Amino acid sequence: MTDMPPTAPRPVILAVDDDPAVLSAVRGDLRGRYGRRYRVLTASGGTEAIDTLGKLKLRDDPVAIVVSDQRMPEVAGTEVLAAALELFPDVRTVLLTAYADTEVAIGSINDLHLDYYILKPWEPPEERLFPVIDDLLEDWHAHNQPTYAVTRVVGSRWSARTHEIRDFLQRNQIPMQWFDIDVSQEGRKLSEAAGDDGLPLVITPDGVSLRSPDVAALAAALGLKTRADAESFDLAIVGAGPAGLAAAVYGASEGLRTVCLEQLVPGGQAGQSSRIENYLGFPNGISGSDLARRAVTQARRFHVDVLAPTTAVGLDLAGPYPRLELADGSAINCGSVILACGVAYRTLDVPGSAEFEGRGVFYGASLSERDTVTGEDIVVVGGANSAGQAAVYFSDYARSVTVLCRAGELGAKMSSYLVDQIAERSNIAVRCGTSVDSVGGTERLETVTIRDAATGGTEELTTSGIFVFVGASPRTDWLPPQIARDKRGFILTGPALGDRRHRTADGDRDPFLYETSAPGVFAVGDVRTSSIKRVASAVGEGSVAVQLVHQVLRS
């Protein structure tokens, strides 16, 4: 949990129950565990709880968690939690419920985005209550940093460099305050106070001003770790998406000295997902950035060196062990390598797309772009889950969302739960059998021309933003020729290598399941040929690869 500085107001944990004995028990448990860092308040019923929440709102007091019983006269627990979310959108919610009310709790996950429900009784609290509250508090603090710890960004929302900086900060979950120079008087004052011309302006929490910094300079100013503590490791992992982070956690937890390199931001493409609702163990769903944050925290707990942004530019296989060459000129020696370097979204190859990249044409969908789309008419291009998640997320902010899909129906590559959610949103329109023909504008994107595959006819739409999800290319250009790839650049592993054999001191052997054409070098996740593009499968591949690494290191 995060210690609060002495001058900061302590966040509130509110417990609600109409049964005095139960309320006394939950108050005692919460105050005993959290009373030093948080204000633990109680309410003896739903009406009192809603009144207390209103007073806290007027005082601008931070509310971290509301824990409410469900069965209460007049005002039920779900009504209390709904009121809490209305007043404090970032509050974390917990429903205390009897077994008979489980269906109500599950319904609340869908209706209220309930964070958790706990069956009564919750004894022992060390096993059934505190782990839940600890996790929710950690999650709340990750999204509610005090203002003195916030990085401020001043720029135009139609600036490509501003988009790059905001995306980097958002995906790294670095607390950020954004000032659009076109509409923010405070932003203009900050820019004038900083002196030199040029935007975007970044002001770090310790007051350092950076004018239009690149990602490397920004990372250095914010103190992000980009260099390893040692030159040699048992296991080096290239890529910190779900596959790479899973391999890092399993490798380090099993005693391997492990380093994990990520060229930009941990999380990979999954880290840009607004909400993953079909990942096991998260009934309310989880955003890709939150999943990445949890995984990075878990990896560092096992003493993994997580380096980001750090770019591998070469893999030397000439020596007895693999050697990774890095962009800064340094190198890492390792007993084994797992390539989890993932893929990059393919770009639109149409007139105007390059000109307006970052100024209305975006690849992927950073959550930070909700300010860009608020009240606007936008277009999402693609028919798989990433496009569906972006369309649903942005529909909460944009005036309208138009989904362009080459396939004849949206469900061809998209999970049915997303198809259903899109159908329920009145401001989402789906245009199947269409593609982008060109984009246009002056200082920023203003129009997109689409083409109907059946008729060949074109139509111009007015839009301020296009978010593109049209397939992906593997990040494998930096690899040596010894790493065999298919014609699209994806890495061949295991049975896909055919009759190829690995020569070892103990004699020839078949490549292991996720092993590449180079002994001791493995590939997992999206970068591997014929991989299943799901978070769960990537995590599985990363964990299994570690078991194969052990076999290589023992040989």
Side-chain angles (χ1 to χ4, degrees):
M1 293 178 297
T2 304
D3 285 326
M4 302 300 294
T7 57
R10 290 186 298 163
V12 170
I13 299 175
L14 176 63
V16 188
D17 202 301
D18 66 316
D19 185 323
V22 175
L23 186 61
S24 177
V26 71
R27 176 176 56 222
D29 287 339
L30 293 175
R31 285 183 176 172
R33 174 83 168 189
Y34 306 105
R36 187 170 68 86
R37 298 181 179 92
Y38 303 87
R39 292 172 58 203
V40 178
L41 305 180
T42 60
S44 59
T47 301
E48 182 183 343
I50 292 174
D51 181 62
T52 298
L53 288 166
K55 292 176 180 177
L56 292 170
K57 181 68 174 180
L58 291 174
R59 291 200 297 264
D60 199 27
D61 288 342
V63 179
I65 295 180
V66 176
V67 182
S68 179
D69 183 43
Q70 168 58 14
R71 290 196 178 187
M72 296 183 293
E74 297 182 4
V75 179
T78 52
E79 296 176 79
V80 171
L81 299 182
L85 287 164
E86 182 70 25
L87 294 170
F88 302 94
D90 290 328
V91 72
R92 300 306 186 257
T93 54
V94 179
L95 194 65
L96 298 177
T97 180
Y99 182 79
D101 295 323
T102 302
E103 289 301 319
V104 174
I106 294 174
S108 298
I109 293 174
N110 294 324
D111 299 336
L112 298 177
H113 294 299
L114 176 72
D115 289 300
Y116 216 93
Y117 70 89
I118 298 175
L119 295 177
K120 297 190 294 185
W122 57 85
E123 297 293 337
E126 293 78 10
E127 296 179 10
R128 301 188 60 192
L129 178 64
F130 297 155
V132 173
I133 302 299
D134 287 349
D135 185 61
L136 293 178
L137 287 172
E138 190 72 30
D139 192 52
W140 183 84
H141 279 291
H143 295 84
N144 293 271
Q145 294 289 337
T147 55
Y148 58 79
V150 170
T151 296
R152 289 171 288 175
V153 179
V154 182
S156 170
R157 63 173 173 166
W158 307 118
S159 157
R161 177 53 64 85
T162 301
H163 165 72
E164 180 185 17
I165 289 171
R166 292 176 65 203
D167 183 59
F168 177 79
L169 295 173
Q170 174 74 34
R171 292 176 61 194
N172 271 296
Q173 296 208 343
I174 295 171
M176 173 185 66
Q177 189 173 14
W178 154 242
F179 300 93
D180 186 348
I181 195 71
D182 298 324
V183 296
S184 170
Q185 184 177 359
E186 179 67 16
R188 288 190 286 271
K189 289 179 180 178
L190 288 171
S191 181
E192 292 168 2
D196 297 334
D197 294 333
L199 291 176
L201 165 68
V202 179
I203 306 171
T204 66
D206 55 4
V208 175
S209 298
L210 306 171
R211 289 285 184 172
S212 194
D214 59 23
V215 166
L218 183 57
L222 294 172
L224 300 183
K225 186 173 184 180
T226 60
R227 296 182 68 92
D229 294 332
E231 294 182 355
S232 298
F233 292 83
D234 298 318
L235 173 61
I237 301 161
V238 183
L245 289 171
V249 168
Y250 277 88
S253 68
E254 295 174 8
L256 300 179
R257 190 170 190 187
T258 303
V259 62
C260 183
L261 290 67
E262 170 55 50
Q263 71 171 4
L264 189 59
V265 179
Q269 281 194 327
Q272 293 181 279
S273 296
S274 57
R275 184 154 298 272
I276 304 167
E277 296 195 49
N278 56 357
Y279 187 57
L280 187 66
F282 293 90
N284 189 35
I286 185 170
S287 72
S289 58
D290 279 343
L291 184 63
R293 173 182 58 81
R294 291 166 182 258
V296 169
T297 300
Q298 193 174 15
R300 286 179 171 148
R301 176 186 161 219
F302 288 114
H303 308 295
V304 176
D305 252 2
V306 180
L307 311 180
T310 299
T311 302
V313 295
L315 176 59
D316 184 356
L317 300 173
Y321 298 104
R323 177 182 173 89
L324 282 170
E325 299 167 346
L326 308 184
D328 64 3
S330 63
I332 292 175
N333 299 304
C334 43
S336 190
V337 175
I338 294 179
L339 301 173
C341 31
V343 296
Y345 284 116
R346 292 198 187 103
T347 58
L348 283 175
D349 186 17
V350 300
S353 59
E355 178 185 354
F356 293 105
E357 184 171 342
R359 296 190 294 133
V361 176
F362 306 105
Y363 296 96
S366 170
L367 303 190
S368 65
E369 295 304 328
R370 69 181 184 185
D371 296 331
T372 302
V373 308
T374 297
E376 303 284 343
D377 299 306
I378 67 166
V379 173
V380 173
V381 184
N385 278 10
S386 296
Q389 289 162 351
V392 170
Y393 174 73
F394 285 144
S395 69
D396 287 335
Y397 307 97
R399 180 167 57 187
S400 71
V401 178
T402 300
V403 179
L404 305 181
C405 174
R406 283 183 177 272
E409 61 178 359
L410 199 58
K413 293 184 178 180
M414 189 180 296
S415 296
S416 61
Y417 80 89
L418 283 169
V419 176
D420 293 342
Q421 289 183 10
I422 288 172
E424 293 170 356
R425 304 285 177 120
S426 60
N427 64 335
I428 299 181
V430 178
R431 305 284 295 270
C432 291
T434 58
S435 61
V436 177
D437 195 64
S438 65
V439 297
T442 51
E443 295 298 317
R444 60 180 178 88
L445 179 72
E446 295 171 349
T447 62
V448 54
T449 300
I450 65 175
R451 182 174 297 275
D452 187 284
T455 67
T458 61
E459 178 184 353
E460 185 176 271
L461 305 178
T462 300
T463 184
S464 61
I466 300 177
F467 297 85
V468 182
F469 307 83
V470 289
S473 301
R475 302 180 188 272
T476 55
D477 291 345
W478 61 280
L479 292 172
Q482 294 99 311
I483 305 296
R485 282 153 275 183
D486 65 18
K487 62 183 180 181
R488 296 182 300 159
F490 290 90
I491 300 173
L492 300 172
T493 61
L497 290 167
D499 297 330
R500 192 186 301 258
R501 304 273 286 173
H502 285 335
R503 183 168 297 173
T504 70
D506 298 327
D508 291 353
R509 64 167 174 82
D510 293 328
F512 293 125
L513 179 61
Y514 298 127
E515 196 171 17
T516 70
S517 52
V521 179
F522 297 82
V524 295
D526 289 353
V527 77
R528 190 177 65 83
T529 190
S530 302
S531 65
I532 299 173
K533 305 301 189 284
R534 290 290 186 269
V535 174
S537 61
V539 169
E541 290 184 15
S543 62
V544 170
V546 170
Q547 305 307 310
L548 306 177
V549 166
H550 280 294
Q551 296 187 50
V552 169
L553 295 179
R554 287 196 298 263
S555 62

